[in-house]
Amino acid sequence: MPDQPVAAPPEVSAGARRDRTTALRRIVTGRPVRWGFVAATIGLGGWAVAREWSGVRTALVDIGPLAAIAALGAVLVAMVAAMQIWRVLLAALGSPLPVRAAARVVFVGQLGKYLPGSVWPVLAQMELATAHHVPRTRSATASVLTMLVSLLGGLLTALFTLPFVIGRSGGPTPYLWTFVAAPVILAALHPRILNPILTALLKLARRPPLERPLTGRAISVALAWSLVSWVLYGLQIWLLATRIGVTDGSSTGTVLLLAAGGFAFAWSVGFLVVFAPAGAGVREVLLVALLGPVLGTGGATAIALVSRVLMTVGDLATAAVSAWHRPTE
């Protein structure tokens, strides 16, 4: 009778699996992979700027370098405010980080959105956060919640601004259904609803439950940072629009409301339209549709194009600056 294979003891098999997992984790989180990831995404982001450079150069002639630099400043401050959303939520979950450490995780990790697939930013932030002793489940939870809070802030910004100007600008009525998402997300982010949902999801994923349930104060502070970021992103559009000039006699206040609400609305719709990767194309089309009646189609197209480049430059600049910060071992 042939000898039967002897199964390895459970503890040996489990140990071997842990060793393989540890080795794989060291490879994935190692310095060559991290910097290779940064180099690849910066290259793709730079290529996106170069591809549109001819159109950007023409628009910059009308807008002027000073307005473009001022708009880029608004974008950079808006990105810092958006980073604070993640930092506040992560601290509420039990892992407070200094500003520089949080900036490194968020800004370098978000370069993953230039790679195919929308999951890369979350995965990158999970791995980068481990260098600061943040559990992967906790950082992933903070990243997903940050997206929801940002979406809610964008929808609220649009709701607070566009009704005052949408009649004049002839807004994109086919997309008004997106406002239905605002009360749904607002209710889902209430601690009495959100914490049980997170607990159930973590249990389903066989992960430990939350050590610290989220409080209403933490969510409110995160939402406040989200609103600040959207106002600053709108300021970017307004600074560019003032150089283009209006075509229908709209006041400065009207253009400012349209800029803030239009950008937030276009981003939110792009996020919700799941068949468009990362909202590609949808946001620019909607922004032009909203700004066109006030600024003219040509001016609105130039602003959408320059804004997209400024956002890309902002991503690359914040990642490059924050990458210099070495994590505390």
Side-chain angles (χ1 to χ4, degrees):
M1 183 175 181
D3 295 334
Q4 297 295 325
V6 179
E11 61 273 12
V12 174
S13 299
R17 285 195 297 270
R18 282 195 299 270
D19 291 341
R20 288 195 296 269
T21 302
T22 301
L24 180 61
R25 185 177 300 168
R26 287 176 178 173
I27 294 173
V28 172
T29 60
R31 187 178 298 274
V33 173
R34 289 204 305 266
W35 284 105
F37 170 80
V38 172
T41 50
I42 286 178
L44 289 171
W47 175 77
V49 174
R51 185 182 59 181
E52 304 290 351
W53 180 245
S54 60
V56 172
R57 183 173 55 187
T58 301
L60 285 175
V61 172
D62 295 329
I63 293 173
L66 292 180
I69 292 172
L72 177 60
V75 167
L76 293 175
V77 179
M79 288 179 172
V80 172
M83 178 271 296
Q84 285 289 92
I85 304 172
W86 185 84
R87 181 169 175 256
V88 166
L89 293 171
L90 187 70
L93 290 170
S95 292
L97 288 182
V99 173
R100 288 201 305 169
R104 180 180 181 274
V105 174
V106 172
F107 293 141
V108 176
Q110 75 176 357
L111 291 179
K113 65 188 178 183
Y114 292 102
L115 297 174
S118 58
V119 73
W120 291 111
V122 176
L123 293 178
Q125 289 167 358
M126 285 171 57
E127 295 304 326
L128 289 166
T130 59
H132 303 280
H133 312 291
V134 179
R136 287 177 173 80
T137 301
R138 192 174 297 169
S139 58
T141 301
S143 296
V144 173
L145 290 177
T146 296
M147 289 188 284
L148 291 176
V149 171
S150 296
L151 176 59
L152 177 60
L155 291 172
L156 291 178
T157 300
L159 279 170
F160 293 153
T161 55
L162 289 185
F164 297 99
V165 294
I166 202 168
R168 178 189 294 272
S169 63
T173 53
Y175 293 95
L176 292 181
W177 57 265
T178 55
F179 287 130
V180 177
V184 175
I185 298 172
L186 186 61
L189 288 176
H190 191 282
R192 291 185 179 180
I193 298 177
L194 179 61
N195 287 316
I197 291 176
L198 291 176
T199 300
L201 291 176
L202 290 172
K203 183 177 181 181
L204 185 64
R206 298 182 179 179
R207 298 292 183 180
L210 293 175
E211 298 176 9
R212 296 184 184 180
L214 286 168
T215 63
R217 181 180 183 278
I219 296 173
S220 298
V221 172
L223 182 58
W225 279 114
S226 175
L227 293 173
V228 169
S229 71
W230 287 117
V231 171
L232 289 167
Y233 282 132
L235 179 62
Q236 165 219 186
I237 301 298
W238 180 79
L239 289 168
L240 299 175
T242 55
R243 300 297 301 170
I244 296 293
V246 300
T247 60
D248 67 344
S250 296
S251 65
T252 300
T254 297
V255 177
L256 182 58
L257 290 174
L258 184 60
F263 187 87
F265 182 74
W267 186 94
S268 300
V269 174
F271 184 91
L272 291 172
V273 178
V274 295
F275 58 80
V282 176
R283 297 170 189 172
E284 287 75 24
V285 169
L286 285 178
L287 190 59
V288 171
L290 276 167
L291 299 179
V294 174
L295 302 176
T297 302
T301 302
I303 288 176
L305 183 62
V306 173
S307 174
R308 179 169 54 175
V309 172
L310 292 180
M311 296 288 288
T312 303
V313 171
D315 285 337
L316 300 178
T318 52
V321 172
S322 60
W324 285 103
H325 172 66
R326 295 177 63 87
T328 302
E329 301 295 342

